[in-house]
Amino acid sequence: MKESAAAIEVQGASFIPDEQRSGRPRDLFFMFLSANVTQLYVVIGATIMVFGLSMWQAVVVILVANSLMFLMGWFASIGAASGVPTSIITRALFGMRGNKVFGAGVVVVLSTLVTIVNLVIGTQGGLVVAERLGMAPDVATTAIVCGIIVLASTGLAMYGYNMMVKTSGVLTVVIAAAFVLLGFFVFQKVDLASFQPVPTENPVIGFVVALTLCIAMPLSWGSAADFARHIPSTTRRKPIVLAVGLGGMIPLVGLELVGVLAATATDMSEPVTGLMNLVPEWFGTVLVVVIVIGSIMNTVMTIYGGSLAVQAAGVPVSRVVAVTGLGLTAAIGTVYVLFFADSFLNILQLGLTCLGSVAMPLTAIYLVDSVRRKGRYDGVALSNPSQGGPYWHRGGFRLSGICALLGGSVVALLSLNGASYQGPIAAMLGGIDMSIVLGGTVAAVLFVALSRQEERATSNKLTERTPQ
């Protein structure tokens, strides 16, 4: 039976039986489309052009990076099959106890980081609206706008899945139409014939760094199972994969390309102001309102998933309390960025590269394990943290997953090459940032090797216990 969108969702991170699921794959398409129609991706598209990319190189980077949304669709299908969210599924990777830190704990941190970025983007857009209404862009106005966006995001996240489905279906057409118009106006101001890439000493470094930045955002949707768990387990995987893949990739690619074009026509160091220079005055207010709405929708989904991770990490609170706590924590981080940080773009670049450095190893481990299991996890067993279950492992810790995540993350961090930090591996490679590739590869290889060793050890113990 489907609950009303006006009712606060009481379902936490536990298993959802089939008879209580009413979701459809097309719901995921609209949810991911509306949540990914945000100015953040325009900012990323503009940012990658400072690394000396040609127009065609930028297109390749954007298409390759965002094709990972189909992998997120695969992860979503696991949620439908198991009936549990990502932060519970990761118990299979790290053990019931180990997951509290290395699975659910990591998801909480990543969710908070993405929420802060979205709140900053939304606040910047809200300030433009406030100025057009005659308000001074001072500290008080900034605090009020930020507070409104935080309250709207956390409030909608409290209502949960059905509210997200309802609002995304209504808003998608409006938001998408606005950004189609944005692309039209931006394209008219671009002179592709006279475009020249930014001079750079090493084009390869620029290409890899740009790819790293773009990959980070699809990876932030690794928790797609949080929403797909509301879909009956009898649903075929293909429609779910396509719904999430297309729903996420279409706006990601489109908006990052808008950012690429905008960067060739105006200064995008202040993203909202830069876009205002490229559109008619009448469209400016419409655009910033849409920016705020898109940021709120993205934030709602991120906080929703993060709240489930808080519960999966063992914090004894309801989902509503977890939503409130996550919203307040992100609000504090947003205040720091808005009032004390020197450059939002520098923080954005550092945040996205660090996010990718942890998210890519986690994604690689999750992918390897899910492929080996053919995407089949026992949601009921995963929801039971008692000792001795199939996902308990040794003392509640699965060392293969933990060691693989730590190893991959360390290698990724040592391979980073950002504006304020260069890892020793990046220095050895002449400044090329291989954090995403090396971090994911090392994590996957370690996980496969250590998992096989665990399986052999378990098999030997069973053999020794078998009467001769």
Side-chain angles (χ1 to χ4, degrees):
M1 181 177 178
K2 187 171 183 177
E3 295 181 0
S4 169
I8 292 179
E9 181 182 323
V10 295
Q11 179 72 46
S14 58
F15 170 76
I16 302 179
D18 259 340
E19 59 269 20
Q20 296 179 17
R21 307 187 206 177
S22 57
R24 300 162 296 182
R26 68 180 183 183
D27 295 337
L28 297 179
F29 174 81
F30 289 117
M31 287 175 66
F32 278 85
L33 185 64
S34 62
N36 283 294
V37 180
T38 170
Q39 186 206 352
L40 173 59
Y41 305 134
V42 179
V43 175
I44 292 174
T47 300
I48 66 174
M49 297 309 288
V50 305
F51 301 114
L53 300 185
S54 69
M55 195 61 66
W56 287 112
Q57 286 175 327
V59 171
V60 170
V61 164
I62 290 171
L63 288 176
V64 171
N66 292 311
S67 63
L68 282 176
M69 282 305 306
F70 290 99
L71 176 57
M72 303 305 109
W74 162 255
F75 292 153
S77 72
I78 295 172
S82 65
V84 292
T86 303
S87 49
I88 294 294
I89 295 171
T90 50
R91 287 175 172 175
L93 310 180
F94 305 110
M96 291 295 184
R97 290 174 174 168
N99 183 65
K100 294 180 179 181
V101 175
F102 300 100
V106 169
V107 172
V108 171
V109 173
L110 296 181
S111 297
T112 304
L113 176 61
V114 174
T115 300
I116 291 172
V117 172
N118 282 322
L119 290 176
V120 172
I121 292 289
T123 301
Q124 289 177 338
L127 282 173
V128 175
V129 176
E131 285 187 67
R132 296 191 173 213
L133 293 176
M135 300 175 67
D138 53 19
V139 173
T141 302
T142 303
I144 291 172
V145 171
C146 181
I148 292 173
I149 293 174
V150 170
L151 289 174
S153 301
T154 54
L156 288 172
M158 285 181 186
Y159 281 95
Y161 176 80
N162 288 322
M163 177 59 75
M164 288 186 283
V165 171
K166 190 75 173 178
T167 52
S168 63
V170 173
L171 295 174
T172 295
V173 176
V174 177
I175 296 175
F179 273 91
V180 168
L181 283 174
L182 172 62
F184 172 75
F185 291 131
V186 169
F187 189 78
Q188 286 189 320
K189 297 292 181 70
V190 175
D191 183 6
L192 295 178
S194 61
F195 168 73
Q196 293 294 327
V198 175
T200 180
E201 295 182 1
N202 193 327
V204 175
I205 294 177
F207 185 89
V208 176
V209 172
L211 186 63
T212 301
L213 286 177
C214 289
I215 282 177
M217 294 322 297
L219 291 180
S220 70
W221 290 113
S223 57
D226 299 350
F227 316 102
R229 70 190 180 123
H230 292 271
I231 296 175
S233 61
T234 53
T235 306
R236 294 185 300 116
R237 288 185 185 271
K238 185 177 179 180
I240 297 174
V241 174
L242 290 176
V244 173
L246 293 175
M249 189 173 180
I250 290 172
L252 275 166
V253 170
L255 295 176
E256 287 178 3
L257 288 176
V258 168
V260 167
L261 295 174
T264 67
T266 188
D267 180 9
M268 290 292 289
S269 58
E270 291 294 336
V272 176
T273 304
L275 288 176
M276 293 302 102
N277 295 331
L278 300 176
V279 300
E281 186 174 350
W282 66 267
F283 184 67
T285 303
V286 175
L287 176 61
V288 292
V289 170
V290 168
I291 288 171
V292 173
I293 293 174
S295 296
I296 289 174
M297 290 302 299
N298 193 298
T299 305
V300 168
M301 291 181 66
T302 305
I303 292 178
Y304 177 83
S307 69
L308 300 177
V310 169
Q311 292 184 311
V315 182
V317 295
S318 67
R319 192 187 63 82
V320 171
V321 173
V323 165
T324 304
L326 192 63
L328 287 175
T329 303
I332 293 172
T334 303
V335 168
Y336 168 77
V337 174
L338 290 172
F339 296 111
F340 302 102
D342 294 329
S343 171
F344 171 60
L345 289 182
N346 286 342
I347 289 179
L348 176 64
Q349 180 184 345
L350 179 61
L352 291 179
T353 50
C354 289
L355 186 153
S357 297
V358 179
M360 189 66 223
L362 177 58
T363 301
I365 295 168
Y366 188 9
L367 176 60
V368 170
D369 191 69
S370 64
V371 170
R372 295 183 75 189
R373 297 177 189 269
K374 298 181 180 180
R376 297 169 184 166
Y377 294 84
D378 187 337
V380 175
L382 283 167
S383 297
N384 181 10
S386 60
Q387 297 186 24
Y391 302 105
W392 177 253
H393 298 289
R394 179 183 251 176
F397 297 89
R398 187 177 182 183
L399 297 181
S400 58
I402 295 171
C403 291
L405 179 64
L406 291 174
S409 297
V410 168
V411 170
L413 290 171
L414 294 176
S415 306
L416 276 176
N417 184 25
S420 57
Y421 167 78
Q422 183 183 68
I425 295 178
M428 289 172 54
L429 296 174
I432 300 178
D433 186 327
M434 295 291 288
S435 56
I436 294 291
V437 175
L438 292 179
T441 301
V442 168
V445 171
L446 280 176
F447 184 66
V448 170
L450 295 175
S451 293
R452 288 177 177 174
Q453 186 175 357
E454 283 179 340
E455 291 164 2
R456 284 196 297 269
T458 301
S459 178
N460 290 337
K461 286 183 180 180
L462 291 175
T463 302
E464 291 172 1
R465 292 175 183 174
T466 303
Q468 300 297 322

